[in-house]
Amino acid sequence: MAAGLQTDVCILDFAKAFDKVGHRRLVDKLKWYGIDGAVNTWIESFLNCRTQRVVVEGESSEELEVTSGVPQGSVLGPCLFLYYINDIAEGLSSTVRLFADDTMIYMAIRNDSDAEALQKDLDLLCEWEAKWKMEFHPDKCEILTITRKKSPVIIPISDPWSTIEAS
């Protein structure tokens, strides 16, 4: 955070983060990062041919193929998720911090132009989540202004997730 300046912070949380990672999109993204050949084939086989079923009071549903999500509880799952979201910061002017399924972007706001740049970054994040079939949980997304200034820059930032129903 910039000393003596106003800093606007956007805290974002992915909804059902580990479940939404599409296997085919993940494998393609790994190839884009240069993870190809035998390693990519091994990861693809790790993800493919997984099934799940629900058991309630001794009755079980039909098994269905799982085509998205990284296996939770595995060592590889969090790594694969981070590879999947690693490009989220491309093209953003804000500083970005990622931790598991939480994302924080922040920027020093000196004038209207800085606030507009932060708004553009939020719009780019909306485009990224639509492209990669991920969703930020609207009830867990917050925009904060941190400052000691007596007259902070008051530019309303449009929270793109405030109009989205929680899933």
Side-chain angles (χ1 to χ4, degrees), residues 65-109:
E65 183 181 4
V66 177
T67 59
S68 68
V70 291
Q72 296 181 43
S74 70
V75 173
L76 196 53
C79 295
L80 293 174
F81 176 75
L82 289 175
Y83 269 114
Y84 194 74
I85 67 165
N86 193 51
D87 65 341
I88 196 169
E90 285 183 15
L92 300 184
S93 304
S94 304
T95 301
V96 179
R97 299 286 183 244
L98 301 173
F99 181 76
D101 65 341
D102 296 315
T103 302
M104 179 174 73
I105 68 168
Y106 58 92
M107 177 182 283
I109 306 294

Side-chain angles (χ1 to χ4, degrees), residues 14 19 24 53 59 61 72 76 85 104 107 117-118 134 150 159 162:
F14 283 109
D19 298 333
R24 181 78 259 145
R53 64 186 170 125
E59 298 290 323
S61 69
Q72 296 181 43
L76 196 53
I85 67 165
M104 179 174 73
M107 177 182 283
L118 181 60
M134 297 293 288
K150 290 184 181 182
D159 175 356
S162 63

Side-chain angles (χ1 to χ4, degrees), residues 8-60:
D8 283 6
V9 181
C10 303
I11 302 165
L12 312 168
D13 181 80
F14 283 109
K16 302 174 186 166
F18 287 81
D19 298 333
K20 298 254 177 156
V21 175
H23 295 166
R24 181 78 259 145
R25 290 186 301 276
L26 174 59
V27 168
D28 290 344
K29 221 176 222 201
L30 291 172
K31 286 179 185 175
W32 185 83
Y33 285 124
I35 300 171
D36 208 354
V39 173
N40 197 297
T41 301
W42 180 82
I43 291 171
E44 192 169 8
S45 69
F46 174 72
L47 295 171
N48 288 339
C49 300
R50 291 182 174 270
T51 59
Q52 68 182 17
R53 64 186 170 125
V54 177
V55 179
V56 177
E57 296 180 5
E59 298 290 323
S60 65

